[in-house]
Amino acid sequence: MAKNQCISISVIKRLPRYHRFLGELLTKGVKRISSRELAQTMKLTASQIRQDLNCFGGFGQQGYGYNVELLYHEIANILGLHDKVKTIVIGAGNLGKAIVNIDFNKLGFDLIGIFERDPLLQGTTINGQVVQCSQQIEHFCKENQVEVAVLCVPKESANTLVELLISLGIKAFWNYSHYDIGVYYDDIVVENVHLSDSLMTLSYRVKDFKKNNEIKF
Amino acid sequence: MAKNQCISISVIKRLPRYHRFLGELLTKGVKRISSRELAQTMKLTASQIRQDLNCFGGFGQQGYGYNVELLYHEIANILGLHDKVKTIVIGAGNLGKAIVNIDFNKLGFDLIGIFERDPLLQGTTINGQVVQCSQQIEHFCKENQVEVAVLCVPKESANTLVELLISLGIKAFWNYSHYDIGVYYDDIVVENVHLSDSLMTLSYRVKDFKKNNEIKF
């Protein structure tokens, strides 16, 4: 039974990692694990793990540890991975192609359409789905009650596209564009993946690492 | 003048976003901005901005605000964006292709090689660079003192690849594989981009949004 009062976004962001590690343990046939052993495997502290999982009601038993399969499925439930939220991907360039190859179905989403404005890419097939003309988006969303849009488009296109999608009732975005949707719209869910921000963070950390170790690479 | 004592990783992770917004203001010809105006633009609080930038010595002047160009360049300096850290990308599938099209040069890195084990992709050109056979990695790293590796490979390949790269002196990874490098190695820099973890977080947030708004999408 989940007790959801204490859940911060940083706890939520750690859950997928628990899910991955528990999935690996399951594959290896591990039936149960103590918080200490799980901590060693994941390079966390045992108290961090107990604290995180207590947010959802614990799942562990004193002297027994965690039932790996149960915990794996409980985390999947918490994350909504058994849901089938209707989703479209917009942009079928290299990034869009890479994204479409992710197993959406295992992660809570039902990927039902891919759209692209470049005529050369329209009609091609990615992971079993035919790429449609982006002018079809409006009709498609109205017909299919699309819930989530994945934006694999440049910043310049994102502005008017987001306006259209929100007018069509889309409430959640997985956003790879550099358009900061959350700055302009309230009451929507935006999960940003800003790849160049991540690369800049790496740049800082590399520079800092060199300085602290007084090395030239 | 930077005073680096108080910098947490969460402050660092916000710097690229400041850099992006300041770049846009520069393009629009904005010369100076108050922390209140910058806060409105970025949907942060003015005190959060002052607190973040104070970590590096402030840059603002009472009654004047921030000099946009100066602050933009200072943040670029802090992030090391003028460095040219020698970098290779491994994996030239769709994701690798998308990654290679990022402007590494503007973000602190010098992308000097792309490697792939699929013979069909070897010899092709991405963004002006010829894709090399992954068996050349060892020789290339020894010849060129490569400092950073970008891993666009599946988890199964990452294990032995990371072992090789670390033996060749590589100390930093931009890691798109699901192999948790930091669990197995100390004294290296790893910036992970786990796309499916991000998608699972979105799944949770969509589910939570629906519950809180008591709506069916």
Side-chain angles (χ1 to χ4, degrees):
Chain A
M1 182 72 70
K3 43 173 188 177
N4 281 2
Q5 297 86 340
C6 61
I7 309 167
S8 72
I9 188 69
S10 48
V11 175
I12 299 304
K13 282 186 180 290
R14 283 196 288 273
L15 287 185
R17 193 159 175 262
Y18 284 113
H19 190 257
R20 266 195 290 125
F21 274 85
L22 289 163
E24 283 167 29
L25 290 170
L26 260 187
T27 313
K28 288 179 190 159
V30 178
K31 297 249 183 284
R32 65 172 174 153
I33 193 164
S34 68
S35 50
R36 198 173 48 80
E37 288 164 323
L38 186 57
Q40 278 171 350
T41 312
M42 294 183 67
K43 260 206 175 171
L44 292 171
T45 65
S47 80
Q48 164 97 82
I49 287 180
R50 284 193 295 266
Q51 209 175 316
D52 281 352
L53 298 180
N54 272 338
C55 287
F56 304 98
F59 311 125
Q61 263 183 280
Q62 192 87 36
Y64 176 87
Y66 297 103
N67 176 318
V68 173
E69 191 172 358
L70 187 71
L71 187 54
Y72 177 78
H73 289 299
E74 284 288 352
I75 290 179
N77 276 334
I78 292 163
L79 288 169
L81 304 190
H82 302 305
D83 296 353
K84 294 283 167 277
V85 179
K86 285 183 180 174
T87 303
I88 57 172
V89 170
I90 304 170
N94 292 319
L95 183 61
K97 280 182 199 144
I99 297 303
V100 169
N101 280 298
I102 295 173
D103 193 346
F104 278 71
N105 209 45
K106 268 178 79 175
L107 302 174
F109 300 89
D110 184 14
L111 180 55
I112 58 171
I114 309 166
F115 299 87
E116 165 64 46
R117 66 177 184 186
D118 180 352
L120 287 176
L121 295 170
Q122 292 162 14
T124 60
T125 301
I126 314 171
N127 206 10
Q129 303 239 11
V130 177
V131 176
Q132 301 175 61
C133 170
S134 53
Q135 288 184 333
Q136 298 298 318
I137 291 174
E138 188 166 347
H139 177 71
F140 188 90
C141 285
K142 285 178 180 166
E143 286 283 300
N144 295 283
Q145 290 93 44
V146 176
E147 300 157 294
V148 175
V150 184
L151 302 184
C152 301
V153 297
K155 188 177 174 178
E156 307 77 66
S157 328
N159 184 340
T160 47
L161 187 57
V162 169
E163 196 179 342
L164 170 69
L165 292 166
I166 286 181
S167 79
L168 294 167
I170 285 181
K171 292 279 191 191
F173 294 88
W174 198 24
N175 180 33
Y176 283 81
S177 84
H178 275 168
Y179 177 59
D180 263 271
I181 305 174
V183 168
Y184 305 101
Y185 296 94
D186 294 317
D187 292 327
I188 49 160
V189 175
V190 185
E191 180 73 17
N192 290 309
V193 186
H194 292 322
L195 299 181
S196 59
D197 284 15
S198 167
L199 191 54
M200 284 192 244
T201 306
L202 180 66
S203 173
Y204 175 87
R205 294 179 60 201
V206 166
K207 189 181 147 191
D208 194 53
F209 181 89
K210 283 180 174 186
K211 199 176 68 186
N212 289 338
N213 291 276
E214 287 179 5
I215 56 163
K216 291 187 176 176
F217 269 30
Chain B
M1 182 70 73
K3 43 173 188 175
N4 281 2
Q5 297 85 341
C6 61
I7 309 167
S8 71
I9 188 68
S10 47
V11 175
I12 299 305
K13 282 186 180 291
R14 283 196 288 273
L15 287 185
R17 192 159 175 262
Y18 285 111
H19 190 259
R20 267 195 289 126
F21 273 86
L22 290 163
E24 283 167 29
L25 290 169
L26 260 186
T27 313
K28 289 178 189 160
V30 178
K31 297 250 184 284
R32 65 170 174 155
I33 193 163
S34 68
S35 50
R36 198 172 49 80
E37 290 164 322
L38 186 57
Q40 277 170 349
T41 313
M42 294 182 68
K43 261 206 175 171
L44 291 171
T45 65
S47 80
Q48 163 96 81
I49 288 181
R50 283 193 296 267
Q51 207 175 319
D52 281 352
L53 299 180
N54 272 339
C55 287
F56 304 98
F59 310 126
Q61 263 182 281
Q62 192 88 35
Y64 175 87
Y66 297 103
N67 176 317
V68 173
E69 189 172 0
L70 187 72
L71 187 54
Y72 177 78
H73 289 298
E74 284 288 352
I75 290 178
N77 276 334
I78 293 164
L79 288 170
L81 305 190
H82 302 304
D83 296 354
K84 295 282 167 278
V85 179
K86 285 183 182 176
T87 302
I88 57 172
V89 170
I90 304 169
N94 292 319
L95 183 62
K97 280 182 199 145
I99 297 302
V100 168
N101 280 299
I102 295 173
D103 193 345
F104 277 72
N105 208 46
K106 269 178 80 175
L107 302 174
F109 300 88
D110 184 14
L111 180 54
I112 58 170
I114 309 167
F115 299 87
E116 166 62 46
R117 67 176 183 184
D118 179 353
L120 287 175
L121 295 169
Q122 292 162 14
T124 60
T125 302
I126 315 172
N127 205 10
Q129 303 238 11
V130 176
V131 177
Q132 301 176 61
C133 170
S134 53
Q135 288 184 332
Q136 298 299 318
I137 291 173
E138 187 165 348
H139 176 72
F140 188 90
C141 285
K142 285 179 180 166
E143 286 284 300
N144 294 283
Q145 290 92 46
V146 177
E147 299 157 294
V148 175
V150 183
L151 302 185
C152 301
V153 297
K155 188 178 175 179
E156 306 76 66
S157 327
N159 183 339
T160 46
L161 187 57
V162 168
E163 195 179 343
L164 170 69
L165 292 166
I166 287 181
S167 79
L168 293 167
I170 286 182
K171 292 278 190 191
F173 294 89
W174 199 23
N175 180 32
Y176 283 81
S177 84
H178 275 169
Y179 177 60
D180 263 272
I181 305 173
V183 168
Y184 305 102
Y185 296 94
D186 293 317
D187 292 327
I188 50 160
V189 175
V190 185
E191 180 73 15
N192 290 309
V193 187
H194 291 320
L195 300 182
S196 58
D197 284 16
S198 168
L199 191 53
M200 285 192 244
T201 306
L202 179 66
S203 173
Y204 175 87
R205 293 179 59 202
V206 167
K207 190 182 146 189
D208 195 51
F209 181 88
K210 284 181 173 186
K211 199 177 67 187
N212 290 338
N213 291 275
E214 287 177 6
I215 55 163
K216 290 186 175 176
F217 268 30

